[in-house]
């Protein structure tokens, strides 16, 4: 993906051209939050938790999501890894969940990358899909 720039995003990153208009808005918003601190329960504008970031990103695109990871895993429709599109939500056990009951989530942004708000003491950043899902995938949802 090329050399990494600020908060894990490759310097050459571009939103894939086939991305829907709504997903492009959501991804663009999420990427603009890079470097902001994680805060449990945070929904912006200065700090976020994982579901707060996706909540606000999709709100900018006109889509209402539930507030928590447990709500958002019911949003949209299920998708698969081979069908992931930018803006899709990816759920993992995280530090306080299980495969059956996810405790963490992020947003797929294309090119094998996910943006997320990881944990207290960290910031919103981009990581590889493979590192994000290293402990398993609890679910993947296509929002719009």
């Amino acid at each position: 993906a090329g050399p990494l720039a600020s908060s894990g995003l490759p310097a050459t990153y571009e939103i894939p051209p086939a991305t829907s208009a709504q997903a492009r808005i959501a991804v663009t918003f999420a990427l603009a939050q890079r470097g902001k601190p994680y805060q449990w329960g945070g929904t912006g504008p200065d700090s976020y938790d994982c579901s707060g970031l996706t909540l606000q990103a999709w709100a900018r695109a006109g889509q209402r999501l539930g507030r928590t990871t447990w709500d958002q895993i019911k949003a949209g429709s299920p998708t698969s890894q081979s069908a992931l599109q930018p803006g899709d939500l990816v759920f993992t056990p995280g530090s306080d969940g299980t495969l059956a009951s996810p405790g963490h989530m992020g947003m797929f942004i294309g090119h094998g990358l996910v943006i997320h708000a990881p944990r207290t003491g960290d910031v919103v950043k981009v990581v590889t899909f493979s590192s994000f899902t290293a402990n398993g995938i609890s679910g993947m949802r296509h929002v719009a």
Side-chain angles (χ1 to χ4, degrees):
L4 298 184
S6 170
S7 301
L9 189 68
T12 58
Y13 173 83
E14 291 182 11
I15 297 174
T19 303
S20 74
Q22 280 189 306
R24 185 173 294 277
I25 292 167
V27 169
T28 299
F29 177 85
L31 289 172
Q33 309 316 302
R34 285 178 297 133
K36 292 186 178 180
Y38 175 94
Q39 179 182 10
W40 189 82
T43 58
D46 300 318
S47 58
Y48 295 90
D49 68 8
C50 62
S51 56
L53 176 65
T54 55
L55 170 80
Q56 292 301 336
W58 274 107
R60 294 305 182 280
Q63 291 288 327
R64 293 184 60 103
L65 297 179
R67 168 62 192 96
T68 67
T69 300
W70 305 283
D71 295 327
Q72 291 184 30
I73 199 162
K74 300 171 197 157
S77 58
T79 191
S80 65
Q81 185 173 341
S82 63
L84 274 177
Q85 298 174 25
D88 287 352
L89 307 178
V90 181
F91 300 84
T92 66
S95 61
D96 61 347
T98 65
L99 284 173
S101 179
H104 189 58
M105 63 180 298
M107 179 187 289
F108 183 73
I109 62 169
H111 305 291
L113 300 169
V114 172
I115 187 164
H116 71 131
R119 67 184 87 47
T120 301
D122 210 337
V123 297
V124 174
K125 63 183 171 186
V126 174
V127 297
T128 64
F129 179 85
S130 60
S131 68
F132 185 76
T133 59
N135 292 322
I137 300 171
S138 298
M140 293 172 278
R141 304 294 290 189
H142 179 71
V143 177

